[in-house]
Amino acid sequence: MGERSSSRCCCCSWFIGIIVLIAVVIAIVITIRHNNNKANKHSDNDGADDIVPLPSTSPSSIDKNYADALKIAMQFFDIQKSGKLENNKVTWRGDSGLKDGSEEGLDLSKGLYDAGDHMKFGFPMAFTATLLSWSILEYGHHMDSLNQLDPAKDSLRWTTDFLISAHPSANVLYIQVGDPETDHKCWDRPETMSMKRTLTKIDTETPGTEVAAETAAAMAAASLVFKKSDPKYSSTLLKHSKELFSFADNHRGSYSVNIPEVQSYYNSTGYGDELLWAASWLYHATEDKTYLDFVSKNGDEFANFGSPSWFSWDNKLPGTQILLSRLTFFKEGLSGSKGLQGYKETAEAVMCGLLPNSPTATSSRTEGGLIWVAEWNALQQPVSSAFLATLYSDYMLTSGIEILSCGDTSFKPSDLRKFARSQADYMLGKNPEKMSYLVGYGDKYPEFVHHRGASIPADANTGCKDGFKWLNSEEPNPNVAYGALVGGPFLNETFIDTRNNSMQNEPSTYNSALVVGLLSSLVTTSSSLKSFM
């Protein structure tokens, strides 16, 4: 009896063991199949936003679409370069603007042409440098995984070299090369332009706080980019930044008021945002509490707390709010700072306004879901908003914050990333026109970009006036302006691809800085950000 009972127990144990083993195998098969399905969904860009990015400072899986777009977007900086070109890879570009600044004994040959013309506007150019620096600081490791970090730093330095040369003394800054009225009477290649290149400056008698402060922000941010790789250059940038901030703060006045001619092109609506923006970057670059005190003390006057707005070359408040929120996430001792509380709360309001299912969601959207604020350069706001959204999402993930509260509704960092992807995907062709607004990306993109150099054959011998035949030509541009982000669609989501349509079809360098930042943030699922302080 005892032996039979023992044998039956043994058999029963073996039977149960086999059943458990089978169950484990089935579970593994189901798990593998489930993961494969998720991977397949991600590769098709469907359902990818449900995947929580991995909290790792090393880039994880590469999204090929965004990677390809980033490589293309980076090329536009080379197309826009002025001066004696180095390692030029753009076959239809050559040296230009070599005598810029010479009438004042300065070398202002470098820098970037603003858009489709040959103007160098210091205000948006400095914003370009600030944004490119921020992108490198946050997502340089993503760029590096695609061999795009060095090109980004080269383009940044080409720009900051100009800004350094444009600041010959503490209270003098040259803010413009060329006269737009004269410049726009010509349609020629930059290599053959013959119009007079007049200079515009600000000083203590003619102050321009917003331009001086934006340039200070650019140099402070860039000083962080080059802090390890070129400490001497970084120190030079920081010196100029401090001087320019003092100039901007101690000699307050709007450049749009003091130099009315600029109002037709880059009219400023105020300088308080630039002062806060510059002080924020200087605190990140120096950790000097003086700059932190500045944003704390001047917030009530300049920050427009509680009122979300749109990040652009003219309005730095949303960028400032996100940048200062970074301190509350990562800087020890500042998480509960009363001086930063208004910035953090307004940053959250900005994020809540972007999320389409939020109770405070903005109605400024097309039917297809694109943020749409203005007819001219319509893509600036959706791209800048998406860039800020990925930053804030990654700040939350890096610091372990799981919930963003918008009224009585809660959202996750992945919701912000989903919004950012929707704007990027629309830009890259997921729109009613099935048009990629990033030139050179996809099967269909603008062929009649409003850009002089792209529209005129490189071997054409044209002067100021006879080049207009190329503006009016019905043939596509002979040169592709790779990486140009054009203005974008109307509110009804239509787009007219004609060269005379500068409202929709003209690119700008500051748009390129924004799109490089956005694509760099999305190119991998990595979300953890390294401290750059």
Side-chain angles (χ1 to χ4, degrees):
M1 238 359 231
E3 285 186 13
R4 286 184 64 185
S5 176
S6 174
S7 174
R8 187 182 299 154
C9 181
C10 182
C11 289
C12 183
S13 298
W14 276 105
F15 180 73
I16 292 172
I18 291 170
I19 293 298
V20 171
L21 180 61
I22 292 172
V24 169
V25 171
I26 291 172
I28 291 172
V29 170
I30 291 173
T31 300
I32 292 172
R33 186 172 298 171
H34 177 65
N35 287 340
N36 285 340
N37 287 339
K38 286 180 72 177
N40 290 335
K41 286 181 180 180
H42 179 57
S43 65
D44 293 334
N45 282 340
D46 292 322
D49 301 300
D50 294 330
I51 299 174
V52 177
L54 302 174
S56 167
T57 54
S58 299
S60 49
S61 59
I62 301 292
D63 186 307
K64 186 178 185 303
N65 291 336
Y66 296 140
D68 290 346
L70 175 60
K71 293 174 185 177
I72 291 169
M74 202 74 75
Q75 296 178 46
F76 192 61
F77 294 119
D78 289 333
I79 288 172
Q80 295 300 94
K81 284 180 180 176
S82 168
K84 187 169 183 59
L85 303 183
E86 302 169 3
N87 302 316
N88 180 29
K89 297 178 182 178
V90 184
T91 57
W92 48 274
R93 280 300 328 276
D95 298 343
S96 65
L98 298 180
K99 295 183 179 180
D100 283 357
S102 58
E103 65 183 75
E104 293 292 335
L106 303 173
D107 180 6
L108 300 180
S109 60
K110 285 187 175 182
L112 303 174
Y113 295 120
D114 177 63
D117 53 19
H118 304 331
M119 290 297 302
K120 296 179 189 175
F121 292 110
F123 194 19
M125 193 195 302
F127 181 59
T128 298
T130 313
L131 262 293
L132 188 54
S133 296
W134 199 2
S135 302
I136 292 169
L137 291 168
E138 303 282 22
Y139 298 111
H141 55 304
H142 291 185
M143 295 178 184
D144 199 25
S145 68
L146 299 172
N147 298 316
Q148 296 302 303
L149 179 57
D150 286 341
K153 292 174 71 173
D154 288 345
S155 294
L156 174 60
R157 187 160 187 155
W158 196 268
T159 309
T160 51
D161 281 352
F162 171 89
L163 297 177
I164 290 172
S165 297
H167 183 226
S169 60
N171 295 330
V172 175
L173 178 67
Y174 286 82
I175 64 167
Q176 187 173 295
V177 178
D179 175 5
E181 298 302 320
T182 302
D183 182 90
H184 290 179
K185 291 178 181 177
C186 295
W187 192 267
D188 51 2
R189 300 176 64 244
E191 294 79 4
T192 60
M193 62 178 169
S194 57
M195 76 286 287
K196 186 178 180 181
R197 304 283 284 171
T198 56
L199 303 177
T200 304
K201 69 177 180 179
I202 55 173
D203 53 27
T204 55
E205 294 182 359
T206 311
T209 295
E210 53 273 269
V211 191
E214 181 59 61
T215 309
M219 294 200 182
S223 75
L224 286 164
V225 172
F226 296 105
K227 189 172 184 177
K228 291 183 179 179
S229 60
D230 193 337
K232 184 177 179 181
Y233 189 67
S234 174
S235 296
T236 298
L237 288 166
L238 196 55
K239 173 180 177 292
H240 282 277
S241 177
K242 291 176 179 179
E243 289 180 351
L244 282 164
F245 182 78
S246 295
F247 172 37
D249 188 30
N250 295 331
H251 302 276
R252 293 188 182 183
S254 172
Y255 96 127
S256 291
V257 173
N258 295 324
I259 310 173
E261 297 84 354
V262 304
Q263 294 176 16
S264 299
Y265 296 92
Y266 286 100
N267 182 46
S268 170
T269 55
Y271 56 71
D273 55 322
E274 278 84 19
L275 284 172
L276 297 175
W277 176 240
S280 302
W281 276 111
L282 273 162
Y283 178 70
H284 277 80
T286 65
E287 296 191 68
D288 183 339
K289 193 172 179 293
T290 303
Y291 299 112
L292 192 62
D293 290 341
F294 183 92
V295 299
S296 298
K297 293 175 181 177
N298 289 277
D300 287 337
E301 181 179 359
F302 295 135
N304 204 14
F305 290 138
S307 299
S309 54
W310 302 105
F311 190 37
S312 70
W313 62 263
D314 180 41
N315 181 10
K316 313 306 166 20
L317 287 181
T320 302
Q321 289 147 5
I322 300 299
L323 183 62
L324 291 176
S325 293
R326 191 185 211 284
L327 297 175
T328 67
F329 281 114
F330 303 139
K331 185 69 174 173
E332 188 174 349
L334 292 179
S335 60
S337 170
K338 291 183 179 179
L340 298 180
Q341 183 177 354
Y343 294 99
K344 176 70 178 299
E345 290 175 352
T346 309
E348 291 176 348
V350 170
M351 294 297 103
C352 290
L354 299 178
L355 295 168
N357 296 323
S358 165
T360 57
T362 180
S363 59
S364 300
R365 303 176 200 266
T366 67
E367 286 189 13
L370 181 74
I371 293 290
W372 197 94
V373 179
E375 282 189 328
W376 278 95
N377 195 20
L379 284 171
Q380 179 181 197
Q381 284 82 14
V383 174
S384 65
S385 298
F387 175 58
L388 295 184
T390 52
L391 280 172
Y392 205 80
S393 169
D394 289 346
Y395 293 168
M396 290 177 67
L397 283 164
T398 304
S399 56
I401 305 298
E402 299 179 355
I403 295 297
L404 170 67
S405 296
C406 302
D408 57 359
T409 308
S410 296
F411 295 92
K412 299 176 293 184
S414 58
D415 294 314
L416 289 170
R417 196 172 184 86
K418 181 178 180 180
F419 160 76
R421 290 174 65 97
S422 73
Q423 304 302 289
D425 292 345
Y426 190 108
M427 172 189 73
L428 296 177
K430 197 173 182 180
N431 55 63
E433 293 278 339
K434 294 181 170 47
M435 167 79 76
S436 166
Y437 295 112
L438 182 69
V439 177
Y441 180 84
D443 297 327
K444 181 184 178 184
Y445 50 82
E447 296 182 309
F448 295 83
V449 178
H450 185 91
H451 188 279
R452 291 183 204 171
S455 70
I456 303 174
D459 58 355
N461 185 18
T462 59
C464 168
K465 298 295 185 182
D466 57 345
F468 277 101
K469 67 181 180 181
W470 300 107
L471 170 64
N472 299 317
S473 169
E474 295 183 2
E475 296 296 319
N477 288 351
N479 308 309
V480 179
Y482 284 102
L485 182 67
V486 298
F490 288 131
L491 179 58
N492 65 4
E493 302 188 288
T494 60
F495 178 82
I496 303 170
D497 185 15
T498 60
R499 202 173 289 112
N500 273 303
N501 182 16
S502 55
M503 180 184 289
Q504 289 188 294
N505 219 5
E506 184 170 17
S508 63
T509 50
Y510 55 87
N511 270 8
S512 290
L514 288 166
V515 78
V516 162
L518 173 59
L519 293 171
S520 297
S521 72
L522 295 176
V523 77
T524 86
T525 56
S526 172
S527 64
S528 184
L529 303 179
K530 301 177 180 179
S531 173
F532 52 74
M533 289 185 68

